[in-house]
Amino acid sequence: MEVFIVRELARRINQSTEPKVIVNCLTPGACHSDFAREMSGIGTYAFKAAAFVVARSTEVGSRTLVAAAGAGEESHGEYMADSIVSNDEGVKTQKRLWAELTEKLERIQPGVTKVV
């Protein structure tokens, strides 16, 4: 859902007359960490076994964050990882999620969506 919201936000920023802001969405992927340090029971072993098989080092994962921070306008609105969400169904979902989100935000704080 986050990817769709970021992509729609980027599209709307392009239509704005305000100064250009580059918006991207990223994931470092599964990285080795102490994420499971407080887990207990059999789930701990399953999680750690899965992490051993699929997780990359935190250094490799952090490269996506560094790439996003240094990326230029070509990255605007893109999902930075091993895959990009870019099909027609995704665009429909993106627009529907944006409409739902902004409706809820307007109920909470009227006028909040006028800045985009």
Side-chain angles (χ1 to χ4, degrees):
M1 186 162 78
E2 175 187 357
V3 175
F4 296 125
I5 297 298
V6 167
R7 287 178 45 178
E8 185 63 17
L9 176 63
R11 188 184 73 77
R12 289 171 181 266
I13 286 173
N14 281 345
Q15 296 171 351
S16 172
T17 58
E18 298 298 317
K20 181 75 171 181
V21 176
I22 297 173
V23 178
N24 8 22
C25 184
L26 64 101
T27 180
C31 298
H32 292 289
S33 68
D34 284 336
F35 189 70
R37 70 182 167 270
E38 295 182 22
M39 289 178 74
S40 60
I42 191 109
T44 306
Y45 301 110
F47 183 84
K48 289 183 179 183
F52 179 78
V53 174
V54 299
R56 54 180 102 181
S57 72
T58 50
E59 177 190 347
V60 171
S62 70
R63 292 177 188 165
T64 306
L65 281 82
V66 173
E73 287 189 36
E74 73 282 354
S75 72
H76 184 63
E78 294 295 323
Y79 178 69
M80 300 181 74
D82 296 331
S83 63
I84 296 173
V85 179
S86 63
N87 59 36
D88 291 335
E89 190 62 36
V91 172
K92 289 178 194 172
T93 303
Q94 160 187 326
K95 290 182 184 298
R96 182 178 51 79
L97 284 171
W98 182 263
E100 290 176 17
L101 175 65
T102 54
E103 179 185 324
K104 288 179 182 180
L105 290 173
E106 282 294 329
R107 276 186 286 186
I108 296 167
Q109 180 67 47
V112 71
T113 59
K114 290 180 182 174
V115 297
V116 180

